[in-house]
Each structure stands twice: as structure tokens, then as C-alpha cells.
Amino acid sequence: MLQSNLLIVAAAVSAVSALWPLPTQLSTGTTSLVLASDFDIDLSVISNPPQDLLDAVSRTKSYLQTDQLEALDVDRGASYAQSLQNASSLSSLSLSFDSGHSGDPTSISEEVADAIENRVEGYTLTVPEDGSAATIKANSTLGLFRGLTTFGQLWYDLNNTTYTVEAPIAITDSPVYPYRGFMLDTARNYFPVSDILRTLDAMSWVKMTTFHWHMVDSQSFPLEVPEFPELSAKGAYGSSLVYSTDDVQNIISYAAARGIDVLPEIDTPGHTAIIAEAYPEHVACPGATPWATYANEPPAGQLRFASADTTNFTASLISSVSSRFPGKYFSTGGDELNTECYAIDEPTQADLNATGNTLEQALDSFTQSVQSVLVDDGKTPVVWEEMVLNFNLTLSNETIVMVWISSADAAAVAEKGFRLVQAPSDYFYLDCGAGGWVGDSPSTNSWCDPFKTWQRAYTFDPVANMTDAQAKLVIGGEHLLWTEQSHASNLDPIVWPRAAASAELFWSGPGGNVSEALPRLHDVAFRMSQRGVGAIALQPLWCALRPGVCDISA
Amino acid sequence: MLQSNLLIVAAAVSAVSALWPLPTQLSTGTTSLVLASDFDIDLSVISNPPQDLLDAVSRTKSYLQTDQLEALDVDRGASYAQSLQNASSLSSLSLSFDSGHSGDPTSISEEVADAIENRVEGYTLTVPEDGSAATIKANSTLGLFRGLTTFGQLWYDLNNTTYTVEAPIAITDSPVYPYRGFMLDTARNYFPVSDILRTLDAMSWVKMTTFHWHMVDSQSFPLEVPEFPELSAKGAYGSSLVYSTDDVQNIISYAAARGIDVLPEIDTPGHTAIIAEAYPEHVACPGATPWATYANEPPAGQLRFASADTTNFTASLISSVSSRFPGKYFSTGGDELNTECYAIDEPTQADLNATGNTLEQALDSFTQSVQSVLVDDGKTPVVWEEMVLNFNLTLSNETIVMVWISSADAAAVAEKGFRLVQAPSDYFYLDCGAGGWVGDSPSTNSWCDPFKTWQRAYTFDPVANMTDAQAKLVIGGEHLLWTEQSHASNLDPIVWPRAAASAELFWSGPGGNVSEALPRLHDVAFRMSQRGVGAIALQPLWCALRPGVCDISA
């Protein structure tokens, strides 16, 4: 009988709890607790705390003061006023390492640059009901950081009182999948650095680990590569629309300090037409028309991978770019290769004739050359699914494969023994459903209609139709934004809070219920708004303030 | 041969022309002309120019300085540098009335408050190629204002030189349809006044005439009504989320000075549940569950139109609100009436029993009472289509009907002899295609999928399947934003530049070609961005800079 009551209380409480992603173990009570005006975060037991942890502590304290997030119920928390007057106040949060941890701590940034299987994100968090110190413990600096992020989601504001009504709180938490990402295409349209930094902040609030940066494509080359300065000088949309080496370093370090690894991508050998502006000798069928015969998007043009010179150029380019990223992973792309482009490209045909190679053999040589540069530099290559499903290529077993065309392809990738990231267009493509953008079509369709709702992403099964052995190869997933119809003006509303759905799915594990998740996702959106990220409204405010009442069954 | 060449030149020039909506008569040349540094707009021949015209002149001069819009071609206009050095410069634009115009002019605001058939928007505009004064002539102040708007779209910027390469320019222009609108729902979610004002600016740039303001609905009542203060005190989402009487006056006058009439809407007798917070005696089936049985959206609750008291209350409310709007039109709504709500409402059943009326007879009495208040105040009632298609009601012949459910319903409305506005969900609903928002559905669908692209709106036929007599009753059309999933963060990107499609359709007339329109619509979006409206990118910038090259046939 008592147990049954506790379950009911827990259900009612969880309706106003703003934790996202949901911790894997969570217990809450019903005692009110307010944050003391002199509340502080105590790191005194940590010797030589790394600077990025100190910065994270400062940001956490700042958010606690500035979030001013009112409870999402009809009276915005006013009914708690009486209980808050008599509540204990919390003066401090103590951070410490687990007893097994020894030596000076590594920084968040260092831990993020490690191989994904080596990163430790788990933590425990306690908030006693009597006002004695809250605690976060972890076996890594990254774990402490994840705990700080959770701590920042525990609180609401009522007339400048920062409070919870759910003490005591006990959390033991760690992610189900290590890879939880967001991909941004900065080539179809350019995004100022400030937009990327704001996006990284929002990603960190929902504990994402990876910013998959699709930096360049056939339409523009906004990346400064010091060894190949003409690429951006001639291939960027404008001299001010370039990510300089300093910008890149700024993005990497900003991300790393927030627990996010940057996975850079130079898509090859397709999606490279713009390289012809600087290096026409390396691009097959540049500007061939009709473009739709030779490329999935205008303009046509792909690297002449059958050429030894182009192979060397590409390997040097990848090496140059990769050397500026501290992470272990680098994507060489490999999607949407159009073989018609090579059929009409005389230099490619001449190269094939001279070597006696088939197109696929030439692609294999090219890919091995490019990937070996990465492997020699200690990197793990990442490729799109066609590189393993459409071609018979020699790839390192360590290669990570991005499944994008369809969720139905994941099992086939796993069957080939590769680790994979779930990035299927039928669940996680944020651009779908906004209509076609090609110039002369009154059609209403985008190729990947319909719009992918947060609900659809949230109910994705990462291991559907997989054997246990195949399922073990899934390292996580990501939301993606291709930007044919996006730039700074709609970045926030097209991404947030929708992309938070995959962040929770891959942290907390699949099987979540959209009715249970919606009230918390409202909180995510409202908190993001308070912090300057333009998340959309998921429902009329009337519904947001009445969890469950706008369910169809209510 | 010469003519053929001219046609080719004209086609090439129109590709970079940024006029939107396209003037009904336009001729352009190929001479370069720059704006003089001391360029001014001359109203000296206009006696007692109204203040809102003077303000419009100031805004136009300001935009000419601040737009700094670069040409949308690959070199952003750099190839014109040489010809601009030798170009004549334009020192002034003269505004004057046609010779038939006499007496002191009326203001833009006064003309906008007139009946729609009396408004005169036509103008002629000339820009000589030799630097002699440009001219705008019209037979109304509103016409001069429309001409100023066009003049502001003629210019690009190259290194702080404001120029055209299309002089001489001669335009004779007037709209095909007088009603060109945008509807905003401020009830499902609230929009700050500043967002509405910015939207009015953007509307005026594409020569829209009507801000259809769906002010209140079942979820919130953000409108202050001094005679019924409890409506917003208890029905708004918060005390700061109210449009005060001053706010309303500000919105009306801001719109009017920009050539825009505000069409206020108090939707009745459905979409009124929130009134129960202040006046429970007037609302049938308040909060009845399951809500889906009694209302299209939660919460259930509709005005007790069979009650004489409720009828008087509603008439008083409409009269109070309508008295604060200077325009000729007022919408009493009338959509989505749910009869199940009345079947379970005992007071309504008692009223029907007492009078012997059927539900439809009671609705007829209610509607006549409410509409007669408007007619007595000199207003023309506006209603949603169900009021003429679903019920046999006695309505003034002057009533204007909004077609919303489907474009297929327009002919039936016209057949009943009513003037109509084309607002069909299958072409002009900006919210469609973003997924369902009801709480417990993982479905990806919104009821009016798919997303309505600008191309679809642009190719709408306003008189499809109509006789000539029926077609004459179409007074125009509008884009609409229902805001279950919108608030300030996504207002601009969900509306712009998409809604410009209907603005051109109803000004320039149907039959436009999306390939021809796209380059100009890019210009609309880029100019909006320069002026602080967050329009989205329609294509990769690579395509925007190469008109036609991203057409599927290119």
C-alpha cells in the first residue's frame, strides 16, 4: 500500500521535473528546498582542478541565478510559496572524485579528445532534504561536468527564490550510448561562429557528445586550410564567410570545454565541386549539365579519384585539416557518389585505361590512400554508409559508419562488422518536410518527407532488426541539419528542442514514452529560451502548463 | 532582330530585379544610375502632406541608406563597377498627385480605414536615365506610399554606392485584388507587440493590405477589454502577456501608417472556452472530457448562444472591442462549432426547451444579434466559411466570408452570393506539416500535411472552378499562421519570405511562374534580413547567386 502511494507521488512529481536526458536511476522526494543566497560550489577536495571544470562551475552558478525558470504549471509555482518559506536552504554543492580516482585530474577537454570507448560520463548526485551539502561524485572530470549539467536542471524560480520541491534527490547516472551527436552543414549556407557556439551550448545542456561538422560541400568551401589557402579564397561564399584557423580552434576548445568532441568532415570524393574553383585539375565533370544527371545537387563535380595526383592532393588536404583537430575521429564522407560524372570525364577515363583499373578498384585505392593518412595520424576514419554497402572497399575494421539513407540499412552495416552511428534520414533529418528547394518545381515535396517530429525521433529503436552481436556495434546516434533552406535565422527553431529527443534516447536508452517526455521537453525548451536559444513552442502555453491535459486521450 | 535582342536583355535584367510584387506594367532599360549622396525626396508640390506620408518618406530614405543590399549574382555586382563610375546620379524623387486630385490630401491611415473597394493603391513611377528627377504620381496618398515602397526596391549596393543598372524605369501599377492579408493567432501562444510591429513592417514591404488579427481563442484571452477587464485578467497567460488598449492603438496606428488595415477577430461562438475563467455562466461544456469529443482543440467550452444573457454579453463584448478599431471590418469567426458540447450542456438544453428553438435557430438569432451590433456601428461582418456552408443563417449580404477548410469550398461560398477571401488551408496555412502537437501521439502528421511551400501558394488559382459572376466576389486572399507550435522564436522564419507569395499573387494576379519568381523572392528574403526580419534561406547561397542554375532542368 505504501509502495503504491510512492509510485503515485513519483509519477506526479516527474510531471514537473525538468531533467533531460532522464537519469538512468533517479529517486526524488517531496520536500521543498531553496538555494541559499550565498550558495556556492565547492571543489576544495579536488587538487589542481582543471580550468575547464572551474569554468563549468562558474557557468553553472551563473545559470542558477539567471535561468529564472518558472514551474510549468497553471500558477507557475505560486502554490509552493508557503512551503518554500519554511524550507531548508542549500548552501553548497561539493564536487569530488570517486575513491578509485587518483592523481591530478585530466581536463574535460582532454577526456573528450580520448577514444569514445574510453570516456567516462557517469556520476552520482545527491541533494539532501535537510540543507546539508549536495554532492556530485564521478570517476572522471567529464562525469563531474555531466553532474553539474544535471544539477542546473533541478531548480525553478518563484519570485527570485530558486527552489525544488523534490528533495531529497538521488541520482546515479551514465549513458547507454557514448555517441550522441548533432550534425551541421555549414556549406550549403554559412553560419557565423557565434551561431555554432550557441548551438554547442545547447548541445551540452542535453549532454550531447559530438558536434559532427560537415564543413564543406559542392556549394562552398568556408574552411581556411593554411596549406591550401586557395580553397577558401576561391571557394567560400565571401571573404568574411570563412572559418579561419582561429575560428576552428575556438570552436574546438569551446566544444571540448562543454564535453563535446568535434567530428570534422571533408566529404570525398563526391560533394566536392567547389574545389574546382581553386584546383580544376582535381575535379571531374565540373559544372556538367543537366546537373541532375551528374550530381544529387548542383553544381556537378567530384574529385578525380582515379588520378594519382588527385589522390595525393586529397590525402594532403585531409591530413592538413585533420592535424588541426585534437579528436580521434575524422569523416571523409563518401555519400552520393555519381558514376555518370566519371563516364564523361576524359582524364578519369584516361587514368582508368592507363592503370587497367575499374572505377571501383580506383575508388578502393583512393580510399585506402586517404584513410591510411588518417590511421597513420592516429585517427579513426568515419564514412557514410555507401562506402560499405555500395562498394567493395578495403576499410580498416575500426572505421565507423554513418547510416543515413534509411534506418533499414543499419543491420546490413552491422552485419559487415563495422561500428555504426544511427543518423537515418527517416528519423533524424531536421530539414525534411519543408518542401523542395530546386528552382523550377512547384512541387510541395522534399525527398525525405514528411517532417521528422521529436516524437518520431524519440520512439526510434537503435537496434531494430539486429542480432545481439550487431546491436553491440551501435555506438549511438545523431540529429542532422542539412542547410539548403536554413541559415542563422532559422537554426535555433529548426533544431530545438527537437534534437533533444535523440540526446535523451541515446543517453537514457530507447523505449521512452512521448506523453511522459513532453512535459520535460517543454522545460528543455523554456530553459533554452531563458538562456538565449530560440527553441520553438511545442504546444499552446495552455497545454504546456497542464501536463497531460492536451493528450488526445485526456 | 532588334526586338528579339531586347527581349533577351529584358529577361536577363529581370533575373536580378528585386521588385516584389511585380508591377502590372514595367519597362526597364540597361543604363546605370547611382543615387546622389544628397539624394532627397521632394514633396514640395503637395500642400499639407499628411504626417504618415512624411514618415514614410523618412523611412524610405533611411532604407536607401541602410539596406546595403548587394546584387544576387556571383560577383555581388562587382562587374558593374566600371559603368557605375561613369553613371549619372539621381538627386531627387518627386511625389505628386495626379491632375484629377484636389484639396488637402487624406492620410494613408485615413484611406486605409475606408471600405476596401474605395481604396486607391495605383501609382506611376519613373526613373529617367539621365539623372533628372524620378517621379511618383498617384491619385491617393496610399498610392504614393505604394510607389515609395517600389522605389525602395530598385536599388542595390556596391561598396556604398547605391545603384540600378536598369534605368530608365517606367512603372504603371495597381493591384488585381484589394485584399492581401496575413493572419496571426496570438492566443495559442503570445507574441510581444514588437514582433507584431516587425511583422507589419515586413507586410508593408510586399504591399499587403490587411493584418487579420485572431486575437483570442479557447486557450487564452490576451486582449484587454476595458468594459470586461476580467477577460484578460483571468484569461491571459500572464499579467504581462496582455495587449493593453494602448498596445492595440499602437498596433492599429503603426499598421495604418504602413498601408495596412487591422481586421480584428473575436471568434464566436466556438473557440471561446477561456471566457469561462471570467464568465462561467456564458460557456457551455467547459473543460468537458474527453476534449476531442467536444472541441477541435483542448479545452472544450463554447458560448451558450441559446441564452439571451450570453447573446447580450457577446454583443456587448463585440461592440466594445470593435469600437476601438477604426476599420470597416470585424470578424466574429464562426468556425469549428461543436454541437456535442451543447448536447451535454443543461442550461443550453433548458434554453432551447423554453424557446422551442432548434440549435440552428438559436444560432441564427445569436448571429443576427451580434452582427447587427456591428452593422449598426457601420462595420462589415466577416465570418469563417461554416457560417454560410454548414448552417442556414440570416446574414447581411455585405458579409465577407473566409474560405479556410479547403480551396474546393470557394465556389460554393461564392454561389451563395457572398464576397470571399481566399484563405484555404491547402495553400496558405503556414503551420501545416510540422507534425502533430497533441501530447500522446508519436504520429508525424499534422491535420493539414504537407508543408505549404511558397511555390504552392504562388501557383494558387483564386478563381478555380468559378463562373465569371462567382469570380467577381473574390476580393483577395491571405496567408495564415496558427500558433500551436509557434511563438516569437520562429515567427519570422515560418512566415518569411513564404507569405510574400500570396502578396504577389493577389497584387500582380495569378499565373506567375515559380522559376521567374524565385530570384526576386531571394531578393525579398535578403532585403528582409538587411532590415532585421529573420527570413529563411530558400536555397544554398550558391543557387541564390546563380538565377536558374539550380532549376531541375538546368
Side-chain angles (χ1 to χ4, degrees):
Chain A
M1 197 60 190
L2 181 62
Q3 271 198 322
S4 169
N5 279 341
L6 280 174
L7 281 173
I8 290 166
V9 168
V13 166
S14 81
V16 294
S17 170
L19 295 176
W20 193 283
L22 200 62
T24 42
Q25 289 183 51
L26 163 68
S27 77
T28 58
T30 56
T31 301
S32 296
L33 189 67
V34 302
L35 218 56
S37 58
D38 62 347
F39 170 82
D40 205 353
I41 299 178
D42 174 15
L43 288 83
S44 60
V45 302
I46 298 179
S47 61
N48 297 317
Q51 186 59 45
D52 56 15
L53 179 63
L54 295 172
D55 293 343
V57 164
S58 295
R59 285 199 307 278
T60 303
K61 290 196 290 187
S62 174
Y63 288 143
L64 288 169
Q65 290 186 340
T66 60
D67 275 0
Q68 303 273 321
L69 181 67
E70 293 181 316
L72 290 178
D73 52 31
V74 174
D75 68 4
R76 309 309 297 267
S79 65
Y80 302 129
Q82 186 69 41
S83 80
L84 298 186
Q85 283 188 351
N86 306 321
S88 299
S89 76
L90 178 68
S91 295
S92 80
L93 164 67
S94 292
L95 267 54
S96 62
F97 287 109
D98 294 336
S99 55
H101 190 278
S102 63
D104 277 357
T106 45
S107 67
I108 301 169
S109 303
E110 288 170 307
E111 295 182 12
V112 156
D114 204 350
I116 200 162
E117 63 271 19
N118 296 337
R119 295 181 214 158
V120 175
E121 298 186 88
Y123 65 93
T124 59
L125 186 159
T126 64
V127 181
E129 63 188 327
D130 62 0
S132 55
T135 65
I136 295 175
K137 293 187 181 184
N139 202 24
S140 65
T141 312
L142 187 54
L144 294 177
F145 173 67
R146 297 297 182 218
L148 280 170
T149 303
T150 302
F151 187 83
Q153 294 176 343
L154 295 175
W155 310 91
Y156 289 109
D157 180 89
L158 178 67
N159 303 325
N160 295 315
T161 297
T162 306
Y163 71 94
T164 177
V165 294
E166 302 183 75
I169 298 168
I171 292 172
T172 301
D173 200 12
S174 66
V176 173
Y177 290 96
Y179 186 109
R180 306 178 303 278
F182 169 66
M183 191 218 76
L184 182 67
D185 159 15
T186 57
R188 273 54 178 261
N189 281 299
Y190 179 84
F191 292 79
V193 172
S194 59
D195 289 301
I196 294 175
L197 301 185
R198 190 178 65 257
T199 301
L200 291 166
D201 275 316
M203 290 171 64
S204 79
W205 302 334
V206 293
K207 302 192 175 79
M208 284 183 169
T209 59
T210 306
F211 176 53
H212 176 187
W213 188 5
H214 183 85
M215 301 187 288
V216 300
D217 208 296
S218 278
Q219 291 76 23
S220 78
F221 202 106
L223 180 71
E224 181 196 15
V225 184
E227 295 83 353
F228 301 94
E230 298 294 293
L231 284 169
S232 58
K234 296 186 173 174
Y237 281 139
S239 57
S240 65
L241 306 179
V242 171
Y243 303 107
S244 70
T245 300
D246 283 351
D247 289 337
V248 170
Q249 185 50 49
N250 184 20
I251 288 168
I252 293 169
S253 56
Y254 195 93
R258 285 156 182 79
I260 297 169
D261 186 26
V262 178
L263 165 59
E265 176 166 307
I266 302 283
D267 206 343
T268 64
H271 292 275
T272 45
I274 202 71
I275 290 176
E277 300 285 335
Y279 298 96
E281 65 273 25
H282 295 312
V283 177
C285 82
T289 56
W291 61 262
T293 303
Y294 302 105
N296 278 31
E297 290 187 10
Q302 303 180 144
L303 288 172
R304 284 182 171 139
F305 59 73
S307 151
D309 282 353
T310 298
T311 302
N312 289 337
F313 162 79
T314 308
S316 296
L317 170 61
I318 297 290
S319 178
S320 300
V321 175
S322 135
S323 70
R324 291 185 174 82
F325 287 84
K328 292 283 186 204
Y329 305 94
F330 194 98
S331 171
T332 55
D335 57 320
E336 299 187 317
L337 191 60
N338 185 307
T339 54
E340 298 295 322
C341 169
Y342 299 106
I344 63 162
D345 188 58
E346 290 182 9
T348 294
Q349 294 303 317
D351 283 326
L352 294 176
N353 284 337
T355 59
N357 278 337
T358 64
L359 198 67
E360 184 158 10
Q361 286 168 334
L363 179 61
D364 191 28
S365 297
F366 170 87
T367 306
Q368 287 193 53
S369 296
V370 172
Q371 307 291 59
S372 71
V373 166
L374 289 174
V375 173
D376 290 350
D377 288 348
K379 306 276 181 174
T380 300
V382 178
V383 298
W384 295 109
E385 64 171 275
E386 292 99 314
M387 291 285 100
V388 300
L389 295 183
N390 294 17
F391 303 97
N392 186 21
L393 306 180
T394 308
L395 294 170
S396 155
N397 291 337
E398 295 300 304
T399 303
I400 294 172
V401 179
M402 294 271 176
V403 174
W404 73 273
I405 296 176
S406 166
S407 54
D409 296 343
V413 169
E415 183 57 28
K416 290 185 179 281
F418 293 104
R419 289 180 295 169
L420 66 89
V421 171
Q422 291 279 17
S425 59
D426 47 339
Y427 284 85
F428 296 136
Y429 269 33
L430 296 164
D431 61 313
C432 297
W437 55 267
V438 169
D440 50 353
S441 168
S443 155
T444 62
N445 299 324
S446 65
W447 72 269
C448 54
D449 271 342
F451 181 85
K452 309 307 173 210
T453 63
W454 75 265
Q455 297 97 323
R456 181 163 172 85
Y458 195 72
T459 53
F460 177 72
D461 178 357
V463 297
N465 303 314
M466 287 189 193
T467 64
D468 287 353
Q470 290 169 349
K472 287 196 173 70
L473 294 168
V474 178
I475 65 170
E478 67 181 26
H479 264 93
L480 308 92
L481 182 61
W482 301 103
T483 60
E484 288 84 358
Q485 293 161 297
S486 294
H487 59 182
S489 75
N490 59 335
L491 174 63
D492 287 8
I494 209 169
V495 176
W496 304 113
R498 218 170 5 142
S502 66
E504 174 155 298
L505 169 67
F506 290 104
W507 178 286
S508 312
N513 173 291
V514 294
S515 299
E516 182 280 326
L518 177 57
R520 289 185 297 108
L521 193 55
H522 275 304
D523 266 302
V524 171
F526 277 79
R527 194 183 300 277
M528 283 186 171
S529 290
Q530 297 294 90
R531 295 182 184 179
V533 170
I536 68 161
L538 295 168
Q539 292 188 314
L541 182 56
W542 193 91
C543 301
L545 300 181
R546 292 165 179 84
V549 174
C550 292
D551 287 7
I552 192 73
S553 55
Chain B
M1 197 60 190
L2 182 61
Q3 273 199 320
S4 168
N5 278 342
L6 281 174
L7 281 174
I8 290 166
V9 167
V13 166
S14 81
V16 294
S17 171
L19 295 176
W20 193 284
L22 201 63
T24 44
Q25 289 183 48
L26 163 68
S27 76
T28 57
T30 57
T31 300
S32 296
L33 189 67
V34 302
L35 219 56
S37 58
D38 62 347
F39 171 83
D40 206 353
I41 299 178
D42 174 16
L43 288 82
S44 60
V45 302
I46 298 179
S47 62
N48 297 319
Q51 185 59 44
D52 57 13
L53 179 63
L54 294 172
D55 292 342
V57 164
S58 295
R59 284 199 307 279
T60 303
K61 290 197 290 187
S62 173
Y63 288 143
L64 288 170
Q65 290 185 339
T66 59
D67 275 0
Q68 303 274 321
L69 182 66
E70 293 181 316
L72 290 178
D73 52 32
V74 174
D75 67 3
R76 309 309 299 266
S79 65
Y80 302 129
Q82 186 67 42
S83 80
L84 298 185
Q85 283 188 351
N86 306 319
S88 298
S89 76
L90 179 68
S91 295
S92 79
L93 164 66
S94 291
L95 268 54
S96 63
F97 287 110
D98 294 337
S99 55
H101 190 279
S102 63
D104 276 358
T106 45
S107 67
I108 302 169
S109 304
E110 287 170 308
E111 295 182 11
V112 157
D114 203 352
I116 200 163
E117 62 271 20
N118 296 337
R119 294 180 215 159
V120 175
E121 298 186 87
Y123 65 94
T124 60
L125 185 160
T126 65
V127 181
E129 62 188 327
D130 63 359
S132 56
T135 66
I136 295 175
K137 293 187 180 185
N139 202 23
S140 67
T141 312
L142 187 54
L144 293 177
F145 173 67
R146 299 295 183 218
L148 280 170
T149 303
T150 302
F151 187 83
Q153 294 176 343
L154 295 174
W155 309 91
Y156 288 109
D157 180 88
L158 178 67
N159 303 325
N160 296 315
T161 297
T162 306
Y163 71 93
T164 176
V165 293
E166 301 185 75
I169 299 168
I171 291 172
T172 302
D173 200 13
S174 66
V176 174
Y177 290 96
Y179 186 108
R180 305 177 303 278
F182 169 66
M183 191 217 76
L184 182 66
D185 160 15
T186 57
R188 271 54 178 260
N189 281 299
Y190 179 84
F191 292 80
V193 172
S194 60
D195 289 301
I196 294 175
L197 300 185
R198 190 178 65 257
T199 301
L200 291 166
D201 274 316
M203 290 171 64
S204 79
W205 301 333
V206 293
K207 301 192 175 80
M208 284 182 168
T209 59
T210 307
F211 176 53
H212 176 187
W213 188 4
H214 183 86
M215 300 186 288
V216 299
D217 208 298
S218 279
Q219 290 75 23
S220 78
F221 202 105
L223 180 71
E224 181 196 16
V225 184
E227 294 84 353
F228 301 94
E230 298 294 294
L231 283 170
S232 58
K234 295 186 174 175
Y237 280 139
S239 57
S240 65
L241 306 180
V242 171
Y243 302 107
S244 71
T245 300
D246 283 350
D247 290 337
V248 170
Q249 185 50 51
N250 184 20
I251 287 168
I252 293 168
S253 57
Y254 196 93
R258 285 156 182 79
I260 298 170
D261 185 27
V262 178
L263 166 59
E265 176 165 308
I266 301 283
D267 206 345
T268 62
H271 291 274
T272 45
I274 202 71
I275 290 176
E277 300 285 334
Y279 298 97
E281 65 272 26
H282 295 311
V283 175
C285 83
T289 56
W291 61 261
T293 302
Y294 303 105
N296 278 30
E297 289 187 12
Q302 303 180 143
L303 289 172
R304 284 180 170 139
F305 59 73
S307 150
D309 282 353
T310 298
T311 301
N312 289 337
F313 163 78
T314 307
S316 297
L317 170 61
I318 296 290
S319 178
S320 300
V321 175
S322 132
S323 69
R324 292 186 173 80
F325 287 84
K328 292 281 185 206
Y329 306 94
F330 194 97
S331 171
T332 56
D335 56 320
E336 300 187 317
L337 192 59
N338 184 308
T339 55
E340 297 296 322
C341 169
Y342 299 106
I344 63 163
D345 188 59
E346 291 181 9
T348 293
Q349 294 303 317
D351 284 327
L352 294 176
N353 283 337
T355 59
N357 278 337
T358 64
L359 198 67
E360 184 159 8
Q361 286 168 335
L363 179 62
D364 192 28
S365 298
F366 170 86
T367 305
Q368 287 193 56
S369 296
V370 172
Q371 306 290 58
S372 71
V373 167
L374 289 175
V375 173
D376 291 349
D377 288 347
K379 306 276 181 174
T380 299
V382 177
V383 297
W384 294 109
E385 63 171 274
E386 291 100 313
M387 291 286 99
V388 300
L389 296 184
N390 294 17
F391 301 99
N392 187 21
L393 305 180
T394 308
L395 293 170
S396 155
N397 291 337
E398 294 300 304
T399 302
I400 294 173
V401 179
M402 294 272 176
V403 174
W404 73 274
I405 295 176
S406 167
S407 55
D409 296 343
V413 169
E415 183 57 28
K416 290 185 179 280
F418 293 104
R419 290 180 295 170
L420 66 90
V421 172
Q422 291 279 17
S425 59
D426 47 338
Y427 284 86
F428 296 136
Y429 269 33
L430 296 164
D431 60 314
C432 297
W437 55 267
V438 169
D440 51 352
S441 168
S443 156
T444 62
N445 299 325
S446 64
W447 71 271
C448 54
D449 270 340
F451 181 85
K452 310 307 174 208
T453 63
W454 76 264
Q455 297 97 322
R456 180 163 172 86
Y458 194 72
T459 53
F460 176 71
D461 179 358
V463 297
N465 303 314
M466 288 188 191
T467 65
D468 287 353
Q470 290 169 349
K472 286 195 173 71
L473 294 168
V474 178
I475 64 170
E478 67 181 25
H479 265 93
L480 309 92
L481 182 62
W482 302 103
T483 60
E484 287 85 356
Q485 292 161 299
S486 294
H487 59 180
S489 75
N490 59 334
L491 175 62
D492 288 7
I494 208 169
V495 176
W496 303 113
R498 219 170 5 141
S502 65
E504 174 155 298
L505 169 67
F506 289 105
W507 177 286
S508 312
N513 174 292
V514 295
S515 298
E516 182 281 325
L518 176 57
R520 289 185 296 108
L521 193 56
H522 276 305
D523 266 303
V524 171
F526 278 79
R527 194 184 299 278
M528 284 186 171
S529 290
Q530 297 295 90
R531 295 181 183 179
V533 171
I536 68 161
L538 296 168
Q539 291 189 315
L541 182 56
W542 193 92
C543 301
L545 300 181
R546 293 165 178 84
V549 174
C550 291
D551 287 7
I552 192 71
S553 56

